[in-house]
Amino acid sequence: MEKIENFDFLNDEKIAEKIIDFKDEKTTFVRFLLPSIHCSGCISVLENLSNIHKDILESSIDFPNKKIKIVFNHLSLKLSNVASILEKIGYKPSINFDLLEKKENRTRTFNKKLIGKLAISFFCFGNIMLLALPEYIGAYEEDIWFLEHRNFFRFLMLILSIPIILLSFIDYIKPAILGLKKHVFNIDIPISIGIFVLFFWSLYEVLLDYSSGYFDSLSGFYFFLLISKIFQIHTHSKILSFNNDYKSFYPIYVSKIGNNRKEKKILLSSLKIGDIIIIRNEEIIPVDSILTKGLALLDCSFITGESVLVKKKKGERVYSGSKHKGEIIYLRVVKNLDNSYLSFLWKNKKCIDKKSFHLNSLSTKFSKGFTPIILTISIVTGIYWSFVNLSKVFQTTFSVLIVTCPCALVLSSPFIFGNIIRFFSRKGFYVKDASTIEKMSTISTIIFDKTGTITDPEKEKIFFIGKRLRHKEKKITASLLRNSNHPLSKKLFTELSIKNFYSVNNFKEILGNGMQGIIENVFVKIGSMKYLGVSSINKLKETTVGLLFNDQFIGYFKFRNFYRKKVEKMFLNIKKYKIIILSGDSNESERKYLKSILPESSVIFFNQSPEEKFNYIKKIQKSGEKVMMIGDGINDCLALNQSEIGVATSDNPTSFFPSCDAFIQSDFLDKIFLFLKISKISTKLVITNFIISLIYNFIGIIYSSTGHLKPFIAAILMPLSSLSVILFSIFSTWIVSRRFLS
């Protein structure tokens, strides 16, 4: 019996902190490396851990990285118990802290194991083929010596096949048994049946001296399965590297305090342990940190689903993925970005009211129905040949099981969409995952925010209407503005050009309206006229931001908007879609200009609050519209999340928005029609790949069921089918990218 490892060391807080992503009063979020994950059956078993133990609240798989995220109640279940549960169901977690810190080394370790298995299988396969050669060429009939020593050769082949059986048990038979226990039919089942049938049929024939059996087919089958697996892993790591190393693509910046105590913007990927960073209101904490200054009010709803604000004081740990709500805070980084929860949060965000699309449902239904169908075909084939030619029963039955591997079909969607994601990232469009590309192909309506989305904040002109602001008043205003991430706030903050700031007390920001706080004993409010309660200037048609000191109206900033270059061409290129402008501004004076550059069927709404944008999108979705929302990601958080595709746009993103499905750099916004067009083409490519794979499997079934395909040849053709799909995916997406994105 396999020894059950003792995971009690995980109950030590210092050790647990290295692998815990998030922890509150009741729940803990943790990720484990599970090297034994290898198929859809594994995913099905592991994502239903809540059925195994009531205190496991949720589990989800990051398949490319072989990781599982588990949410559990730590009041009644220890971290060590969670690891033990995984081991008992056949998925022993790999807890090597050196490897946790070094992703590259971890990948090499996995590859070394596969290469080791490949070396063993090649040794067994090569020698079995040499030992079987005399019988293939008829030496037993012509040479008495070979005939007399045939049992020596046969039993030696039997001995050499034992390592193959042991490796097959680990890789395929054991997962197949676990899948059956959970009533899951996966591809491991027909593979395991084939391996069992091959081995025991060959053992039967050798023991009764009928023939040398099919040990060559058995070893060759496993050998080519390994080649296929290694090839797939290598291709995933190259083509789908976007999913594994998001920080190489996302243009996310963070504010860091340099050695000269001045604030500067650096790439998120440049963060190091010990760096001091600044987090403003509504910004996501990018890495695990210690609070060094300020009072943190954290919204952990992206992680826990609960919107209760959690207070953190100086010296307390702050987990990545939490959103800060309040005045500016200072954090000291304590965990590398590679080990941050942020990337997992981005890729595993649970969308509300978002329906699955046809390709996903097709893949899911096919995966569930494929194994029973193939088992039925193989059984019917065996029954048929038992009446026609008993000697061909085994050959035909096993050939059907081998040649109809669904790997090619399963690989089609992630390889094509993954490659398209990589090409998009080169053009400033950073898409979350393959399903986002798929959903883009169904979009019928595109909704734009105005300020900071189709307008260029870098070129806006700002005029202050009111009494002239003194330096101290500017400093007070800038001290409040620096806490906000709203495009208008950032533009005003830059315009004021203040270097030193006052501390802010009782900071509060209402998105889409304004903010307030007490600075130098002055109660300051900045925002819309409605928010300030200034009715006399409430009907201004320009974009304005008012200023209030101690309930006294000081004046307002008036913005003269400049629209981005090529915005007219952009609207012209997407005129076949229904276009809607949802703006929070009260700048009705711009309606005439917008009408002149938009298609006639377009609709424009001003004075829209975040809730009104959300409700409008929900309303048109009920009428069947598939919506892509493009906004700044801050005020438009609700709308982005409700849309089928939510795209956050910015010139220099300093925040992370789990509510969106993609980021787009503002200077590439005019290329949105190309991204939509390519998404439709890529969907057609996936369907084409489906058809090619089905034709391949259909032809394979015909040849194998009619006795024209031997198991050994079928084992060679199986990885070749995967290769053909991968090559088609690479070549077709390369042609598309060269034609439209070069």
Side-chain angles (χ1 to χ4, degrees):
M1 178 181 284
E2 188 178 353
K3 182 181 178 182
I4 301 296
E5 185 170 329
N6 188 338
F7 292 102
D8 287 344
F9 65 92
L10 291 177
N11 296 327
D12 185 295
E13 289 188 9
K14 291 183 179 179
I15 293 176
E17 280 291 346
K18 293 186 177 182
I19 57 175
I20 287 176
D21 291 314
F22 178 84
K23 187 176 183 179
D24 61 13
E25 294 179 355
K26 295 181 179 180
T27 55
T28 294
F29 292 61
V30 65
R31 280 177 293 169
F32 287 114
L33 293 171
L34 301 182
S36 55
I37 296 176
H38 71 287
C39 72
S40 59
C42 301
I43 297 173
S44 180
V45 171
L46 291 166
E47 290 197 340
N48 287 284
L49 290 179
S50 56
N51 296 330
I52 297 175
H53 200 289
K54 62 182 178 64
D55 290 312
I56 295 179
L57 308 177
E58 181 188 338
S59 57
S60 57
I61 296 296
D62 177 8
F63 185 72
N65 289 319
K66 295 183 179 289
K67 285 184 178 180
I68 183 171
K69 183 201 81 170
I70 297 177
V71 183
F72 66 96
N73 183 351
H74 61 245
L75 297 180
S76 51
L77 188 66
K78 295 180 180 179
L79 183 58
S80 59
N81 299 141
V82 176
S84 297
I85 290 170
L86 290 171
E87 184 180 23
K88 287 176 182 177
I89 62 172
Y91 297 94
K92 181 180 177 181
S94 175
I95 306 173
N96 183 318
F97 295 108
D98 290 333
L99 296 183
L100 284 172
E101 295 296 326
K102 297 178 181 179
K103 179 179 176 182
E104 184 179 353
N105 290 343
R106 184 177 76 239
T107 306
R108 288 176 182 173
T109 301
F110 292 152
N111 288 340
K112 283 180 181 178
K113 289 182 179 179
L114 278 176
I115 292 171
K117 290 178 181 179
L118 186 68
I120 293 171
S121 62
F122 178 72
F123 173 81
C124 296
F125 169 53
N127 283 284
I128 289 173
M129 286 297 295
L130 288 173
L131 293 168
L133 187 61
E135 193 162 352
Y136 279 147
I137 63 177
Y140 290 178
E141 298 174 3
E142 298 177 4
D143 194 312
I144 296 176
W145 186 88
F146 278 111
L147 183 62
E148 291 177 350
H149 293 83
R150 65 186 182 279
N151 287 329
F152 171 79
F153 291 105
R154 291 173 179 176
F155 278 97
L156 194 55
M157 284 190 285
L158 171 60
I159 293 170
L160 286 169
S161 68
I162 292 174
I164 301 296
I165 290 296
L166 293 175
L167 292 174
S168 299
F169 179 81
I170 296 171
D171 290 346
Y172 300 104
I173 300 172
K174 189 176 179 181
I177 295 171
L178 289 170
L180 285 172
K181 285 182 178 179
K182 297 295 178 182
H183 308 290
V184 175
F185 285 90
N186 53 51
I187 188 58
D188 292 326
I189 294 174
I191 290 175
S192 300
I193 292 172
I195 290 171
F196 266 123
V197 173
L198 265 179
F199 180 75
F200 286 108
W201 188 282
S202 301
L203 183 63
Y204 168 78
E205 292 198 350
V206 168
L207 292 177
L208 295 182
D209 200 20
Y210 287 155
S211 72
S212 60
Y214 297 89
F215 294 119
D216 52 342
S217 295
L218 173 63
S219 57
F221 179 47
Y222 181 76
F223 175 70
F224 286 110
L225 275 176
L226 276 179
I227 290 178
S228 179
K229 183 183 289 188
I230 290 173
F231 183 77
Q232 290 172 28
I233 290 174
H234 176 74
T235 310
H236 268 288
S237 65
K238 296 297 181 183
I239 294 180
L240 303 183
S241 58
F242 178 86
N243 292 331
N244 300 326
D245 191 13
Y246 77 102
K247 65 188 177 72
S248 299
F249 296 98
Y250 293 0
I252 303 174
Y253 291 77
V254 66
S255 298
K256 174 189 171 184
I257 299 297
N259 295 329
N260 55 2
R261 308 304 297 171
K262 290 186 178 180
E263 178 183 342
K264 64 176 181 178
K265 295 284 190 292
I266 65 166
L267 282 169
L268 189 59
S269 55
S270 301
L271 271 183
K272 298 177 182 177
I273 293 176
D275 285 347
I276 302 297
I277 60 175
I278 291 176
I279 300 296
R280 292 177 170 82
N281 184 46
E282 293 296 321
E283 284 190 343
I284 299 289
I285 310 298
V287 288
D288 289 1
S289 311
I290 298 294
L291 183 62
T292 61
K293 185 179 179 181
L295 175 66
L297 290 173
L298 303 179
D299 176 6
C300 303
S301 58
F302 286 132
I303 305 173
T304 64
E306 299 178 4
S307 57
V308 178
L309 293 180
V310 179
K311 290 184 179 181
K312 294 285 183 179
K313 297 179 181 178
K314 183 178 178 180
E316 291 188 312
R317 189 183 185 99
V318 177
Y319 290 99
S320 67
S322 306
K323 179 191 280 188
H324 174 55
K325 288 183 175 289
E327 63 185 82
I328 202 166
I329 58 174
Y330 294 76
L331 303 173
R332 176 169 53 82
V333 177
V334 295
K335 204 169 186 179
N336 287 327
L337 184 64
D338 280 334
N339 303 306
S340 169
Y341 193 60
L342 195 63
S343 59
F344 197 87
L345 177 65
W346 161 258
K347 291 183 285 184
N348 290 271
K349 184 258 298 181
K350 304 264 184 196
C351 301
I352 56 173
D353 297 331
K354 293 191 178 182
K355 299 179 181 179
S356 58
F357 286 73
H358 64 286
L359 286 180
N360 276 339
S361 59
L362 177 61
S363 300
T364 303
K365 290 177 182 178
F366 182 85
S367 299
K368 290 181 178 179
F370 184 85
T371 300
I373 291 171
I374 295 306
L375 286 174
T376 303
I377 293 174
S378 63
I379 291 170
V380 171
T381 301
I383 293 172
Y384 170 79
W385 282 102
S386 66
F387 291 103
V388 178
N389 186 344
L390 192 61
S391 64
K392 284 194 172 184
V393 171
F394 171 74
Q395 175 187 327
T396 54
T397 304
F398 188 60
S399 295
V400 169
L401 290 173
I402 296 175
V403 80
T404 51
C405 176
C407 297
L409 209 58
V410 174
L411 284 171
S412 179
S413 176
F415 272 89
I416 287 179
F417 288 142
N419 220 13
I420 292 297
I421 286 173
R422 188 165 65 94
F423 292 131
F424 279 179
S425 67
R426 295 176 181 175
K427 294 297 180 181
F429 189 42
Y430 307 94
V431 180
K432 176 188 294 185
D433 51 29
S435 64
T436 300
I437 301 289
E438 179 184 325
K439 287 183 284 185
M440 281 178 62
S441 65
T442 67
I443 293 301
S444 59
T445 300
I446 304 177
I447 297 177
F448 291 90
D449 175 44
K450 183 175 74 69
T451 305
T453 302
I454 59 176
T455 62
D456 189 346
E458 297 298 320
K459 294 183 179 180
E460 285 176 337
K461 298 294 183 181
I462 302 175
F463 307 93
F464 184 73
I465 310 299
K467 70 174 186 178
R468 186 173 180 179
L469 294 175
R470 293 171 295 174
H471 178 75
K472 184 176 180 180
E473 291 172 326
K474 287 183 178 181
K475 189 174 178 180
I476 289 174
T477 305
S479 297
L480 184 61
L481 287 169
R482 74 188 291 249
N483 292 276
S484 174
N485 252 323
H486 190 279
L488 294 181
S489 299
K490 291 194 289 185
K491 180 63 181 175
L492 280 176
F493 176 75
T494 304
E495 186 76 14
L496 291 172
S497 300
I498 299 297
K499 303 299 181 183
N500 299 308
F501 310 98
Y502 297 120
S503 61
V504 180
N505 296 316
N506 299 327
F507 175 84
K508 182 181 179 182
E509 181 175 15
I510 299 176
L511 293 180
N513 289 283
M515 73 195 88
Q516 64 187 48
I518 299 175
I519 307 168
E520 293 292 291
N521 296 319
V522 177
F523 177 65
V524 185
K525 288 185 76 172
I526 302 175
S528 66
M529 299 303 170
K530 182 179 180 181
Y531 174 68
L532 299 183
V534 183
S535 57
S536 59
I537 317 179
N538 215 8
K539 296 182 180 180
L540 285 173
K541 293 186 176 182
E542 295 88 356
T543 300
T544 57
V545 174
L547 181 61
L548 216 68
F549 281 4
N550 288 329
D551 294 326
Q552 181 181 354
F553 183 68
I554 303 299
Y556 62 90
F557 297 93
K558 183 172 72 172
F559 290 77
R560 181 185 175 190
N561 291 321
F562 282 83
Y563 287 85
R564 296 188 185 278
K565 290 181 180 180
K566 303 180 181 178
V567 69
E568 295 181 34
K569 186 178 179 182
M570 177 189 72
F571 287 134
L572 182 64
N573 287 330
I574 58 173
K575 63 181 180 181
K576 68 176 183 178
Y577 295 93
K578 184 177 180 180
I579 302 173
I580 300 169
I581 305 293
L582 290 181
S583 176
D585 290 349
S586 57
N587 200 343
E588 287 281 349
S589 62
E590 295 185 23
R591 183 184 292 274
K592 185 176 180 181
Y593 172 71
L594 285 171
K595 277 287 186 183
S596 69
I597 63 174
L598 286 166
E600 291 184 7
S601 59
S602 301
V603 183
I604 304 171
F605 295 97
F606 286 101
N607 293 304
Q608 296 294 298
S609 68
E611 290 76 18
E612 286 173 329
K613 292 180 183 180
F614 168 79
N615 290 329
Y616 181 82
I617 292 173
K618 202 170 184 179
K619 178 183 175 182
I620 64 173
Q621 284 175 328
K622 288 180 180 178
S623 63
E625 297 291 339
K626 302 294 183 184
V627 179
M628 171 185 276
M629 171 72 189
I630 304 177
D632 58 37
I634 303 168
N635 294 347
D636 303 320
C637 180
L638 286 173
L640 290 170
N641 197 39
Q642 178 60 32
S643 306
E644 275 73 21
I645 301 292
V647 182
T649 178
S650 182
D651 298 280
N652 185 25
T654 58
S655 296
F656 185 83
F657 308 113
S659 55
C660 71
D661 301 286
F663 289 109
I664 187 168
Q665 287 179 255
S666 301
D667 47 351
F668 289 102
L669 191 60
D670 63 299
K671 298 288 192 300
I672 194 68
F673 79 98
L674 277 178
F675 301 136
L676 289 165
K677 185 174 184 178
I678 292 173
S679 68
K680 290 188 175 183
I681 295 173
S682 62
T683 301
K684 292 177 181 178
L685 291 177
V686 171
I687 295 172
T688 303
N689 238 346
F690 273 26
I691 294 170
I692 292 172
S693 299
L694 288 173
I695 291 173
Y696 178 92
N697 280 285
F698 180 72
I699 295 172
I701 288 173
I702 292 175
Y703 272 89
S704 56
S705 61
T706 54
H708 294 93
L709 194 64
K710 292 183 179 181
F712 177 70
I713 302 300
I716 296 175
L717 291 176
M718 190 191 67
L720 289 179
S721 68
S722 298
L723 177 63
S724 65
V725 167
I726 292 168
L727 289 177
F728 174 81
S729 303
I730 295 172
F731 189 64
S732 60
T733 51
W734 178 79
I735 291 175
V736 169
S737 67
R738 290 283 294 178
R739 181 177 177 183
F740 295 104
L741 296 177
S742 59

